[in-house]
Amino acid sequence: MSVTNNAMIIRRDLLTRIIKLMEREELEKKIDRIPLEVRPRGEDSVRCCVHKDRAVLKYKLMAILGFNIADETDELTPLSEYVRMAYNGRSQSDVVLTVVDEACSSCRQTSYEVSNLCRGCVARPCINNCPKDAIRFFNGQAHIDHKACVNCGKCLKMCPFHAIVYMPVPCEEVCPVNAIKKNDRGVEYIDPAKCINCGKCMIACPFGAIMEKSNLVDIFRNKIEGKKLIALLAPAIAGQFGSDIQRIRSSFHMLGFDYVYEVAEGAEQTIFNEAAELKERLEEGQPFMTTSCCPGYTSLVDKHIPALKPFVSHTRSPMHYMAKKAREEHQDACIVFVSPCPAKKWEVYHDSYTDYTLSFEEYGAWLVARQLDLNDIEPLEGGYTPAAEARGFATSGGVTAAVKKVAEGVNINETIINGIDKAALRQLKNMPRNYQGNFVEVMTCENGCIGGCNVISNPRLAAKKIQEAMENAPGILAEKALP
Amino acid sequence: MICAGTHCYLMGGAELQLFHEYLPAGLRDSVIVTGSPCLGNCNCEGSGKPPFVMVNDIIVEQATIQSLLEVVNAELKN
Ligand code: SF4
Ligand code: SF4
Ligand code: FES
């Protein structure tokens, strides 16, 4: 399945335009023209008319500037005004995703519908099998009475012509925790008390109506104010753009970052701490322990499975350890985590050492805005080479493999949850009662971080690249002494 | 030749890197799929939108797996 769709391409195009203008210091002057440039008069519109398209673009740009669309008080406020506010430094909340209500087409409530393929047959198995007597016939075709229908789907299975279709609401369908629901206008609303910031709804929405707020302006503002910029590269970046990690590191210097660290270095500490903690907990008689490096998963436990909380490890994420070291070395710098997913953006907001997030997507847009091509960049030699196992954190199963290497004397019997969906949620909910193994690795995204919703590369290609990077790295025990 | 330049990669080219897998088995021997550094189209006005792919001498803009399959088939017929 493809990982890119047109809604994403539009977002990436907008990101590129914004960064270009920021690089030229013309954002405030020119941002209000972007919707007109993207949707000029006379070209086909995607929605009812070009004005609606432009309105949607305006709100997407507002999200990229880092604002909550729901916070708009005056519809006439131009984007340039938001740019001013952003450059003056505004406070942000930990809300990562924002719904563009103009773009949300208020997909119809999940339902079964009879399509015009209905032949009005004589047997009418739909009627006979409907437990609620919800099917009526008129004009020679079946119709579902939605007041009576309970969405059981029996009619769909019975129709010999496959005339009955299931119409899901895409965003609600993928949300593992039912956090996104319609408000009274039929537009989706994300409940912050339930949302774990996995971003699955953002990818699923066919209208691109769910946008991630960006820190781009904040990063540029800090640069202008003369702060040193530090990039912390998530391990998953090694698989992106078909490039290698040395070129990627080099490119961050070209974009204007002063120092670049690989978060895989912090992962080494996570590995040792995780292994030590597992050993300790098992010795104390706890039946099992789960990982804690994926913020989508830890939010899931906090908000939806409190009974699992005592089993979640207290070891911090690789990002946290790396940011701590970077902060110790550069007190006043602005620390930017380069991230595969919105859940990490949430973690960054709550982390004491990290300031901002730059998603892989935003990073790519920045390269394009500067007309930099990774293939042409000289690789940056030298620097710290993180252990192979630490690089492996980017893929599902990587944490377990690493902990197994260093957890001496512990016989690890693991379960790997590769992506959180409704089934995984049920499995996790049962664990405090009857889990038989002793170690559970949980990644919110399928394939691990290389499957995060801000990634560029197809996860299969990314996995290959990560494998290559691992082959060029020392083993965790060969080179690193146990602390 | 599939552009693996950063611009094309970001704008959907990432997907095309797996193009060979979509070729019907019968065609795999008649088509050579290679990656290419920036084809130079992305920064010149009027040459269309990325991702770009070159099939023989034809430049395909906004390439998708489907549009490429069509062009490849048409070229093979020639
Ligand atoms: S998928 Fe959800 S957010 Fe997107 S248009 Fe439909 S209802 Fe709105
Ligand atoms: S980010 Fe994830 S948890 Fe939050 S509303 Fe979207 S799908 Fe649901
Ligand atoms: S990156 Fe593909 S043509 Fe330039």
Side-chain angles (χ1 to χ4, degrees), chain A residues 450-482:
Chain A
I450 54 168
C453 44
N454 298 135
V455 302
I456 309 299
S457 286
N458 184 296
R460 265 195 300 139
L461 290 174
K464 243 193 251 165
K465 279 278 162 197
I466 299 276
Q467 196 59 43
E468 274 172 38
M470 287 172 73
E471 278 156 20
N472 294 324
I476 187 117
L477 284 180
E479 299 274 320
K480 328 275 162 185
L482 272 163

Side-chain angles (χ1 to χ4, degrees), chain A residues 51-264:
Chain A
H51 304 292
K52 172 92 176 181
D53 278 358
R54 288 177 186 170
V56 167
L57 289 171
K58 174 185 166 184
Y59 289 110
K60 291 190 175 181
L61 289 163
M62 187 175 159
I64 295 175
L65 294 174
F67 291 91
N68 260 341
I69 291 157
D71 291 348
E72 178 189 63
T73 46
D74 179 0
E75 263 183 67
L76 288 177
T77 309
L79 288 165
S80 50
E81 179 60 31
Y82 289 109
V83 173
R84 253 193 304 277
M85 289 196 268
Y87 270 110
N88 285 337
R90 39 59 220 271
S91 60
Q92 294 226 34
S93 69
D94 69 347
V95 171
V96 178
L97 297 171
T98 175
V99 181
V100 182
D101 52 358
E102 289 273 339
C104 172
S105 83
S106 319
C107 300
R108 291 179 49 191
Q109 194 62 55
T110 302
S111 63
Y112 289 84
E113 298 285 352
V114 183
S115 73
N116 57 8
L117 296 175
C118 169
R119 306 289 307 273
C121 65
V122 175
R124 301 194 170 171
C126 52
I127 292 205
N128 295 337
N129 287 286
C130 174
K132 294 287 167 191
D133 201 12
I135 299 192
R136 312 262 174 281
F137 265 80
F138 42 90
N139 297 336
Q141 286 198 323
H143 295 266
I144 296 176
D145 171 1
H146 289 288
K147 286 202 195 72
C149 168
V150 289
N151 286 321
C152 70
K154 291 214 168 81
C155 52
L156 178 137
K157 292 196 197 88
M158 298 320 296
C159 175
F161 298 107
H162 301 284
I164 295 172
V165 290
Y166 174 63
M167 301 229 309
V169 180
C171 56
E172 295 182 8
E173 191 85 350
V174 293
C175 178
V177 291
N178 299 326
I180 184 161
K181 280 272 161 312
K182 292 186 182 305
N183 66 14
D184 44 15
R185 288 181 299 133
V187 172
E188 296 297 326
Y189 165 76
I190 298 177
D191 181 352
K194 289 185 176 169
C195 175
I196 60 171
N197 294 299
C198 66
K200 291 183 200 289
C201 54
M202 174 169 85
I203 300 203
C205 173
F207 290 90
I210 299 165
M211 286 286 288
E212 184 178 350
K213 285 158 57 190
S214 162
N215 287 145
L216 277 166
V217 183
D218 310 278
I219 297 169
F220 271 77
R221 186 186 68 231
N222 274 273
K223 184 78 186 162
I224 293 170
E225 287 168 359
K227 287 256 181 83
K228 295 268 182 238
L229 291 187
I230 299 185
L232 306 182
L233 312 185
I237 206 168
Q240 301 301 307
F241 295 98
S243 192
D244 52 65
I245 187 73
Q246 279 78 15
R247 286 196 166 79
I248 290 175
R249 282 179 41 189
S250 183
S251 73
F252 274 91
H253 289 295
M254 300 179 77
L255 292 178
F257 283 80
D258 299 278
Y259 309 97
V260 182
Y261 295 84
E262 278 187 62
V263 169

